[in-house]
Amino acid sequence: MKLRKLLFICLLMAVMAASVFSLVACGDDDDDDDNDDDTTIPGDDDDDNDDDNNDDDDNNDDDDDNNDDTTPPPPTSEGYAYVPAGSFNMGSPETEIGHRFNETQHTVALTRHFEVKQTEVTQGEFEELMGYNPAYFNFLGDHANQPVEQVSWFDTLAYANRLSTGAGYAACYTLSDLLCADETTGDTDTYCRDNGGIAAAEVSLNAATVYECEGFRLPTEAEWEHAVRAGTTTAVYTGDIETPSCLPRDPNLAPIAWYCANSGRKTHDVAQKHPNTWDLYDMLGNVKEWVWDWYAHDITAQTSDPLGGAEGNFRGVRGGAARFHGAANTRAAFRTGHAPDQRLFTLGFRTVRTLPAQAAKLLEAPAPPPIQVTESIRSPRDWPDSLPFTFTRPQIGDPVTAQEVTEFTQAITQYWIDTHFFPRYQWLSHGMDADNPQGWPEFRLFYQDSSAVKDGDVLELPVGGNSDNLMIRTGKIFNAAAALYLASGDATAAYLVEKYSLGLIALMQGFLWSEDDPELWIMPRTIFPQNYTQIEDGRELFVNYDPIKDELQYDWNGWTIPNDGNPYYGDIWVRTHRSKDDVPHFYRMIPHLYRLVDDAPDATVREAAAEALYYMEKWTQDIVNAGYFIRTKDESGDTYIPMSAEYEFLVNDLASFVIFDPVVPDAECDAEISTAFIAYREPLANDCGGGQSLIYDYIASAQHYFNDRNIIRIFHIDAVLLAIMHGYNDEALELLEGLAERTDYIFDNSKQDEHRDYDADTASYMLVCATSGLPLTNREVRHIHQEYELAMEWYLAWPNWDPWDDSVPDGDVQIRPPSNMTEEKSVVRDTEMAYFIEYCQAPFRNPETIDPVDCDIILDPSQWGTSR
């Protein structure tokens, strides 16, 4: 889906005006109100009523007249703050909002006191010392006091070395064999100053350990977290966070950090927010910060002066950033990593230096409290089994007779038999077989390729398409299969449910670049593993992924690139830039996964569904925590937000639910609230009303019919379903009322002349709406019958439903039936022909609906093709 150019044409000036305004608004509050909530925060002793001026010995250096503390800290460099040695609890409890897999809480002791730069290294400081300024945010006025960014890990070491030499200290690092960003050879005289900075270098320490070197350096992860906490144990040093994303502003984080809630999408001058009690500014927010350590998932074994991983692919990164970081990703315990050559406008650094061991007696760091081990286990939910409120619509149209329902039911179920509907997807869905010799995890997805090559009893499927939106088709089949399986226990449906659940898992497992990849929950468009052969029901399929691996592709909407070090599938290729295009279709899988976890008759299905649901929750949490942006990865496995190729200050529309909010507030609210429900089981700050954004919906739909049919409409249905599932019935009712208005508009404003598939899409869409509680009218049922009868007639004439059958000749074989009857008319898509199963099994099917089929027969395969 191309960027919605019409929307940009209509709104670009407003977006630019809003962006410019936000870029120049550099106040310390960014609240735009008269009550500056940045002026007083918990624990801040910089107010008029300084409670440090008392007779109590608080063991802090208060610098007041009644200071009875007897031990001053050792002297520090200008602009640096003293951090005492001591022990602290590193990581976070599992109950902390935003807690991640790599934050296991453990006690760490730091035995050397050190000084930490009070602010992030600024653009002015970096340019003065290194002779160039790589920062992205270096425009619109004075930028010298904004943090420098777009520096590689190697660039930070070069800066630290020059800083050390200038101060008369021995440099901590030796850099050799420098390679510049433009692939020229560098040296330590210029440090690639005129060549884009350092992309690679051999690095060695000039001391036994990093803690023992004399000069300035990057902090270790442990030092960084000890410094930001300053003796506190909560998510941020002013308390715990209350919301994981950007809005509403978190009352404990907003006063101390520039993050997506208050930054105006840019970095700000350093030291504008409140420091912690050790006088360190912007440790959270503004820019993420490089640290020394190799990133490792588990760092709990090193409990004294930790050194991080012995080797790895990623260097540690801590803190949050002004853009793309919600409160959950701006906590003291948040850990991630980047390849050391990575440059991002969200990534900077600060320096530290170990203080001499013979310095004056140290201040004592607060002793850490005992770690409380409490697992965060989500208990099973008692999911609702019926529509929790009454909702009716006026009946329109001639009544549908019982005979018409009976005849249609017989026809559609016989169609499923004649076309091998579910078995066919078992035969043709592919991914990786359970019997592969390498032991790679099994999975199936329904890729988008439409042709194969038949040679006797073997069908070869050459995968040559990108399969950008494979979850549209896979999700539709999954939902029908899940409904049939839950209703009847059908074995083929059980197979599809289990293997497609494994497919969701495989997408994220296949997007890992190495064993130490710090981001486990990022989803690509698809993955292309090794070639293999599968046999289902005696039908042999050779899946050949080589055609798609023929050459690198760098499209505006996705890259097809190799992933040589994947720990699950070995040497594979991936299609990056996960798009929101098919997201609403597998969001519709979530209510089925909820029920499969509890109610699936087979243990293997329950286990696959539970793991798939866990992966989906983690992935959607990542979207929420990033401010409702969909992250992706590059050729090194680095995680980033794809930006627009046309407007570099904007995120690529395919990866965002919020880029239009500055000019059309809550433009894609249905997508946001659906994501929040899956991620955190509540709507968070999202209030979507009736689920319609008239301006956005109209412009986006007018620009491209795909936006309406596959994205906007389905996200609205997701929002209703998930609100009901999670017990937000008032919100669900309002969303359902809006869905009825949307459906009436769609039905009454036919665009048949503009879109040949409009009528067919309207029929299938109404069936999906009905699964969320919308009662169908007689007029709508007649429309459904008409469109599906036309589709059955068209498809039954297609000869390749079983391409292995002797009647199908050798050679190129079409394996997906075309839906285009003529240039003017399309029929219901083949993947949507079983929507009646999901309709009949839906717990929220409205008792006021007009049934288009006999649901007792629909949900019992033994009665298919019969009438009662």
Side-chain angles (χ1 to χ4, degrees), residues 217-243:
R217 56 180 173 83
L218 289 179
T220 63
E221 273 206 80
E223 287 176 319
W224 188 95
E225 188 167 332
H226 179 50
V228 70
R229 288 190 178 280
T232 63
T233 60
T234 47
V236 300
Y237 55 80
T238 47
D240 285 316
I241 62 170
E242 298 178 5
T243 180

PDB file of all heavy atoms in Angstrom, residues 217-243:
ATOM      1  N   ARG A 217      35.439   7.142  29.535  1.00  0.00           N
ATOM      2  CA  ARG A 217      34.975   5.949  28.834  1.00  0.00           C
ATOM      3  C   ARG A 217      33.454   5.895  28.854  1.00  0.00           C
ATOM      4  O   ARG A 217      32.798   6.766  29.450  1.00  0.00           O
ATOM      5  CB  ARG A 217      35.540   4.701  29.516  1.00  0.00           C
ATOM      6  CG  ARG A 217      35.184   4.622  31.010  1.00  0.00           C
ATOM      7  CD  ARG A 217      35.748   3.385  31.672  1.00  0.00           C
ATOM      8  NE  ARG A 217      35.543   3.392  33.113  1.00  0.00           N
ATOM      9  CZ  ARG A 217      34.430   3.005  33.720  1.00  0.00           C
ATOM     10  NH1 ARG A 217      33.378   2.597  32.997  1.00  0.00           N
ATOM     11  NH2 ARG A 217      34.323   3.040  35.043  1.00  0.00           N
ATOM     12  N   LEU A 218      32.936   4.888  28.183  1.00  0.00           N
ATOM     13  CA  LEU A 218      31.503   4.610  28.296  1.00  0.00           C
ATOM     14  C   LEU A 218      31.234   3.890  29.610  1.00  0.00           C
ATOM     15  O   LEU A 218      32.075   3.119  30.089  1.00  0.00           O
ATOM     16  CB  LEU A 218      31.028   3.731  27.140  1.00  0.00           C
ATOM     17  CG  LEU A 218      30.949   4.351  25.751  1.00  0.00           C
ATOM     18  CD1 LEU A 218      30.470   3.300  24.741  1.00  0.00           C
ATOM     19  CD2 LEU A 218      30.015   5.547  25.721  1.00  0.00           C
ATOM     20  N   PRO A 219      30.069   4.089  30.203  1.00  0.00           N
ATOM     21  CA  PRO A 219      29.732   3.325  31.409  1.00  0.00           C
ATOM     22  C   PRO A 219      29.442   1.873  31.048  1.00  0.00           C
ATOM     23  O   PRO A 219      29.073   1.553  29.915  1.00  0.00           O
ATOM     24  CB  PRO A 219      28.478   4.020  31.931  1.00  0.00           C
ATOM     25  CG  PRO A 219      27.842   4.596  30.706  1.00  0.00           C
ATOM     26  CD  PRO A 219      28.977   5.007  29.808  1.00  0.00           C
ATOM     27  N   THR A 220      29.613   0.996  32.007  1.00  0.00           N
ATOM     28  CA  THR A 220      29.079  -0.348  31.846  1.00  0.00           C
ATOM     29  C   THR A 220      27.570  -0.295  32.075  1.00  0.00           C
ATOM     30  O   THR A 220      27.037   0.690  32.614  1.00  0.00           O
ATOM     31  CB  THR A 220      29.706  -1.326  32.842  1.00  0.00           C
ATOM     32  OG1 THR A 220      29.355  -0.919  34.173  1.00  0.00           O
ATOM     33  CG2 THR A 220      31.219  -1.365  32.684  1.00  0.00           C
ATOM     34  N   GLU A 221      26.887  -1.361  31.685  1.00  0.00           N
ATOM     35  CA  GLU A 221      25.439  -1.398  31.937  1.00  0.00           C
ATOM     36  C   GLU A 221      25.135  -1.234  33.416  1.00  0.00           C
ATOM     37  O   GLU A 221      24.201  -0.530  33.806  1.00  0.00           O
ATOM     38  CB  GLU A 221      24.854  -2.725  31.438  1.00  0.00           C
ATOM     39  CG  GLU A 221      24.439  -2.745  29.989  1.00  0.00           C
ATOM     40  CD  GLU A 221      23.354  -3.771  29.733  1.00  0.00           C
ATOM     41  OE1 GLU A 221      22.169  -3.467  30.030  1.00  0.00           O
ATOM     42  OE2 GLU A 221      23.688  -4.856  29.239  1.00  0.00           O
ATOM     43  N   ALA A 222      25.905  -1.914  34.243  1.00  0.00           N
ATOM     44  CA  ALA A 222      25.654  -1.851  35.683  1.00  0.00           C
ATOM     45  C   ALA A 222      25.870  -0.439  36.207  1.00  0.00           C
ATOM     46  O   ALA A 222      25.077   0.069  37.022  1.00  0.00           O
ATOM     47  CB  ALA A 222      26.543  -2.843  36.415  1.00  0.00           C
ATOM     48  N   GLU A 223      26.940   0.205  35.769  1.00  0.00           N
ATOM     49  CA  GLU A 223      27.184   1.583  36.211  1.00  0.00           C
ATOM     50  C   GLU A 223      26.052   2.496  35.759  1.00  0.00           C
ATOM     51  O   GLU A 223      25.606   3.369  36.525  1.00  0.00           O
ATOM     52  CB  GLU A 223      28.513   2.082  35.643  1.00  0.00           C
ATOM     53  CG  GLU A 223      29.740   1.489  36.302  1.00  0.00           C
ATOM     54  CD  GLU A 223      31.023   1.949  35.642  1.00  0.00           C
ATOM     55  OE1 GLU A 223      31.059   2.021  34.386  1.00  0.00           O
ATOM     56  OE2 GLU A 223      31.991   2.242  36.363  1.00  0.00           O
ATOM     57  N   TRP A 224      25.618   2.312  34.528  1.00  0.00           N
ATOM     58  CA  TRP A 224      24.553   3.174  34.007  1.00  0.00           C
ATOM     59  C   TRP A 224      23.286   3.033  34.852  1.00  0.00           C
ATOM     60  O   TRP A 224      22.682   4.032  35.253  1.00  0.00           O
ATOM     61  CB  TRP A 224      24.262   2.830  32.550  1.00  0.00           C
ATOM     62  CG  TRP A 224      23.312   3.800  31.896  1.00  0.00           C
ATOM     63  CD1 TRP A 224      23.623   4.883  31.152  1.00  0.00           C
ATOM     64  CD2 TRP A 224      21.877   3.767  31.980  1.00  0.00           C
ATOM     65  NE1 TRP A 224      22.484   5.546  30.763  1.00  0.00           N
ATOM     66  CE2 TRP A 224      21.393   4.890  31.261  1.00  0.00           C
ATOM     67  CE3 TRP A 224      20.959   2.927  32.590  1.00  0.00           C
ATOM     68  CZ2 TRP A 224      20.033   5.158  31.138  1.00  0.00           C
ATOM     69  CZ3 TRP A 224      19.600   3.203  32.472  1.00  0.00           C
ATOM     70  CH2 TRP A 224      19.145   4.316  31.747  1.00  0.00           C
ATOM     71  N   GLU A 225      22.890   1.785  35.135  1.00  0.00           N
ATOM     72  CA  GLU A 225      21.640   1.599  35.876  1.00  0.00           C
ATOM     73  C   GLU A 225      21.788   2.042  37.333  1.00  0.00           C
ATOM     74  O   GLU A 225      20.851   2.612  37.913  1.00  0.00           O
ATOM     75  CB  GLU A 225      21.182   0.140  35.804  1.00  0.00           C
ATOM     76  CG  GLU A 225      19.800  -0.058  36.393  1.00  0.00           C
ATOM     77  CD  GLU A 225      19.179  -1.404  36.068  1.00  0.00           C
ATOM     78  OE1 GLU A 225      19.512  -1.986  35.011  1.00  0.00           O
ATOM     79  OE2 GLU A 225      18.351  -1.870  36.872  1.00  0.00           O
ATOM     80  N   HIS A 226      22.950   1.788  37.938  1.00  0.00           N
ATOM     81  CA  HIS A 226      23.197   2.272  39.301  1.00  0.00           C
ATOM     82  C   HIS A 226      23.091   3.795  39.347  1.00  0.00           C
ATOM     83  O   HIS A 226      22.487   4.370  40.268  1.00  0.00           O
ATOM     84  CB  HIS A 226      24.591   1.820  39.741  1.00  0.00           C
ATOM     85  CG  HIS A 226      24.989   2.262  41.110  1.00  0.00           C
ATOM     86  ND1 HIS A 226      24.192   2.098  42.227  1.00  0.00           N
ATOM     87  CD2 HIS A 226      26.139   2.873  41.558  1.00  0.00           C
ATOM     88  CE1 HIS A 226      24.809   2.574  43.297  1.00  0.00           C
ATOM     89  NE2 HIS A 226      25.998   3.059  42.915  1.00  0.00           N
ATOM     90  N   ALA A 227      23.643   4.452  38.326  1.00  0.00           N
ATOM     91  CA  ALA A 227      23.635   5.911  38.301  1.00  0.00           C
ATOM     92  C   ALA A 227      22.236   6.469  38.125  1.00  0.00           C
ATOM     93  O   ALA A 227      21.861   7.446  38.780  1.00  0.00           O
ATOM     94  CB  ALA A 227      24.551   6.410  37.187  1.00  0.00           C
ATOM     95  N   VAL A 228      21.455   5.895  37.217  1.00  0.00           N
ATOM     96  CA  VAL A 228      20.122   6.445  36.988  1.00  0.00           C
ATOM     97  C   VAL A 228      19.216   6.200  38.193  1.00  0.00           C
ATOM     98  O   VAL A 228      18.385   7.030  38.541  1.00  0.00           O
ATOM     99  CB  VAL A 228      19.489   5.875  35.699  1.00  0.00           C
ATOM    100  CG1 VAL A 228      19.118   4.416  35.854  1.00  0.00           C
ATOM    101  CG2 VAL A 228      18.231   6.667  35.317  1.00  0.00           C
ATOM    102  N   ARG A 229      19.377   5.064  38.847  1.00  0.00           N
ATOM    103  CA  ARG A 229      18.495   4.761  39.985  1.00  0.00           C
ATOM    104  C   ARG A 229      18.805   5.651  41.180  1.00  0.00           C
ATOM    105  O   ARG A 229      17.902   6.030  41.928  1.00  0.00           O
ATOM    106  CB  ARG A 229      18.632   3.289  40.371  1.00  0.00           C
ATOM    107  CG  ARG A 229      18.004   2.341  39.362  1.00  0.00           C
ATOM    108  CD  ARG A 229      17.931   0.914  39.886  1.00  0.00           C
ATOM    109  NE  ARG A 229      17.290   0.038  38.934  1.00  0.00           N
ATOM    110  CZ  ARG A 229      15.966  -0.071  38.755  1.00  0.00           C
ATOM    111  NH1 ARG A 229      15.159   0.680  39.494  1.00  0.00           N
ATOM    112  NH2 ARG A 229      15.456  -0.896  37.863  1.00  0.00           N
ATOM    113  N   ALA A 230      20.073   5.955  41.411  1.00  0.00           N
ATOM    114  CA  ALA A 230      20.460   6.814  42.540  1.00  0.00           C
ATOM    115  C   ALA A 230      19.832   6.348  43.842  1.00  0.00           C
ATOM    116  O   ALA A 230      19.306   7.140  44.626  1.00  0.00           O
ATOM    117  CB  ALA A 230      20.071   8.269  42.254  1.00  0.00           C
ATOM    118  N   GLY A 231      19.868   5.050  44.047  1.00  0.00           N
ATOM    119  CA  GLY A 231      19.344   4.488  45.280  1.00  0.00           C
ATOM    120  C   GLY A 231      17.878   4.132  45.254  1.00  0.00           C
ATOM    121  O   GLY A 231      17.361   3.582  46.236  1.00  0.00           O
ATOM    122  N   THR A 232      17.164   4.438  44.174  1.00  0.00           N
ATOM    123  CA  THR A 232      15.737   4.111  44.100  1.00  0.00           C
ATOM    124  C   THR A 232      15.536   2.711  43.528  1.00  0.00           C
ATOM    125  O   THR A 232      16.438   2.127  42.925  1.00  0.00           O
ATOM    126  CB  THR A 232      14.990   5.129  43.223  1.00  0.00           C
ATOM    127  OG1 THR A 232      15.490   5.048  41.875  1.00  0.00           O
ATOM    128  CG2 THR A 232      15.179   6.540  43.757  1.00  0.00           C
ATOM    129  N   THR A 233      14.336   2.199  43.686  1.00  0.00           N
ATOM    130  CA  THR A 233      14.039   0.829  43.225  1.00  0.00           C
ATOM    131  C   THR A 233      12.824   0.778  42.311  1.00  0.00           C
ATOM    132  O   THR A 233      12.428  -0.301  41.893  1.00  0.00           O
ATOM    133  CB  THR A 233      13.789  -0.095  44.434  1.00  0.00           C
ATOM    134  OG1 THR A 233      12.673   0.406  45.189  1.00  0.00           O
ATOM    135  CG2 THR A 233      15.016  -0.174  45.323  1.00  0.00           C
ATOM    136  N   THR A 234      12.246   1.908  42.009  1.00  0.00           N
ATOM    137  CA  THR A 234      11.035   1.944  41.193  1.00  0.00           C
ATOM    138  C   THR A 234      11.383   2.028  39.702  1.00  0.00           C
ATOM    139  O   THR A 234      12.546   2.115  39.322  1.00  0.00           O
ATOM    140  CB  THR A 234      10.153   3.129  41.602  1.00  0.00           C
ATOM    141  OG1 THR A 234      10.970   4.300  41.698  1.00  0.00           O
ATOM    142  CG2 THR A 234       9.499   2.867  42.950  1.00  0.00           C
ATOM    143  N   ALA A 235      10.350   2.019  38.868  1.00  0.00           N
ATOM    144  CA  ALA A 235      10.564   1.987  37.423  1.00  0.00           C
ATOM    145  C   ALA A 235      11.375   3.181  36.938  1.00  0.00           C
ATOM    146  O   ALA A 235      12.237   3.053  36.061  1.00  0.00           O
ATOM    147  CB  ALA A 235       9.217   1.925  36.698  1.00  0.00           C
ATOM    148  N   VAL A 236      11.084   4.352  37.468  1.00  0.00           N
ATOM    149  CA  VAL A 236      11.885   5.552  37.213  1.00  0.00           C
ATOM    150  C   VAL A 236      12.207   6.147  38.575  1.00  0.00           C
ATOM    151  O   VAL A 236      11.604   5.786  39.584  1.00  0.00           O
ATOM    152  CB  VAL A 236      11.142   6.561  36.309  1.00  0.00           C
ATOM    153  CG1 VAL A 236      10.826   5.923  34.970  1.00  0.00           C
ATOM    154  CG2 VAL A 236       9.859   7.068  36.955  1.00  0.00           C
ATOM    155  N   TYR A 237      13.142   7.062  38.644  1.00  0.00           N
ATOM    156  CA  TYR A 237      13.620   7.467  39.961  1.00  0.00           C
ATOM    157  C   TYR A 237      12.637   8.331  40.735  1.00  0.00           C
ATOM    158  O   TYR A 237      12.890   8.663  41.900  1.00  0.00           O
ATOM    159  CB  TYR A 237      14.996   8.125  39.881  1.00  0.00           C
ATOM    160  CG  TYR A 237      15.168   9.307  38.955  1.00  0.00           C
ATOM    161  CD1 TYR A 237      14.757  10.589  39.301  1.00  0.00           C
ATOM    162  CD2 TYR A 237      15.800   9.135  37.719  1.00  0.00           C
ATOM    163  CE1 TYR A 237      14.948  11.668  38.462  1.00  0.00           C
ATOM    164  CE2 TYR A 237      16.008  10.206  36.861  1.00  0.00           C
ATOM    165  CZ  TYR A 237      15.580  11.471  37.233  1.00  0.00           C
ATOM    166  OH  TYR A 237      15.776  12.546  36.401  1.00  0.00           O
ATOM    167  N   THR A 238      11.505   8.653  40.128  1.00  0.00           N
ATOM    168  CA  THR A 238      10.466   9.383  40.865  1.00  0.00           C
ATOM    169  C   THR A 238       9.267   8.500  41.202  1.00  0.00           C
ATOM    170  O   THR A 238       8.291   8.988  41.758  1.00  0.00           O
ATOM    171  CB  THR A 238       9.977  10.574  40.026  1.00  0.00           C
ATOM    172  OG1 THR A 238       9.725  10.138  38.694  1.00  0.00           O
ATOM    173  CG2 THR A 238      11.006  11.684  40.025  1.00  0.00           C
ATOM    174  N   GLY A 239       9.314   7.239  40.863  1.00  0.00           N
ATOM    175  CA  GLY A 239       8.212   6.338  41.182  1.00  0.00           C
ATOM    176  C   GLY A 239       7.982   5.337  40.072  1.00  0.00           C
ATOM    177  O   GLY A 239       8.792   5.176  39.157  1.00  0.00           O
ATOM    178  N   ASP A 240       6.849   4.662  40.118  1.00  0.00           N
ATOM    179  CA  ASP A 240       6.482   3.701  39.080  1.00  0.00           C
ATOM    180  C   ASP A 240       5.706   4.395  37.978  1.00  0.00           C
ATOM    181  O   ASP A 240       5.068   5.434  38.205  1.00  0.00           O
ATOM    182  CB  ASP A 240       5.649   2.562  39.666  1.00  0.00           C
ATOM    183  CG  ASP A 240       6.499   1.588  40.460  1.00  0.00           C
ATOM    184  OD1 ASP A 240       7.586   1.237  39.971  1.00  0.00           O
ATOM    185  OD2 ASP A 240       6.085   1.191  41.564  1.00  0.00           O
ATOM    186  N   ILE A 241       5.745   3.826  36.776  1.00  0.00           N
ATOM    187  CA  ILE A 241       4.966   4.387  35.682  1.00  0.00           C
ATOM    188  C   ILE A 241       3.544   3.843  35.739  1.00  0.00           C
ATOM    189  O   ILE A 241       3.289   2.773  36.288  1.00  0.00           O
ATOM    190  CB  ILE A 241       5.609   4.094  34.312  1.00  0.00           C
ATOM    191  CG1 ILE A 241       5.669   2.586  34.053  1.00  0.00           C
ATOM    192  CG2 ILE A 241       6.984   4.718  34.224  1.00  0.00           C
ATOM    193  CD1 ILE A 241       6.065   2.236  32.638  1.00  0.00           C
ATOM    194  N   GLU A 242       2.641   4.600  35.164  1.00  0.00           N
ATOM    195  CA  GLU A 242       1.233   4.228  35.188  1.00  0.00           C
ATOM    196  C   GLU A 242       0.693   3.836  33.819  1.00  0.00           C
ATOM    197  O   GLU A 242      -0.313   3.158  33.724  1.00  0.00           O
ATOM    198  CB  GLU A 242       0.400   5.386  35.752  1.00  0.00           C
ATOM    199  CG  GLU A 242       0.769   5.746  37.188  1.00  0.00           C
ATOM    200  CD  GLU A 242      -0.034   6.927  37.716  1.00  0.00           C
ATOM    201  OE1 GLU A 242      -0.943   7.392  36.988  1.00  0.00           O
ATOM    202  OE2 GLU A 242       0.243   7.379  38.839  1.00  0.00           O
ATOM    203  N   THR A 243       1.326   4.302  32.757  1.00  0.00           N
ATOM    204  CA  THR A 243       0.863   3.982  31.413  1.00  0.00           C
ATOM    205  C   THR A 243       2.066   3.630  30.561  1.00  0.00           C
ATOM    206  O   THR A 243       3.115   4.278  30.650  1.00  0.00           O
ATOM    207  CB  THR A 243       0.097   5.165  30.792  1.00  0.00           C
ATOM    208  OG1 THR A 243      -0.340   4.807  29.475  1.00  0.00           O
ATOM    209  CG2 THR A 243       0.965   6.394  30.699  1.00  0.00           C
TER     210      THR A 243
END
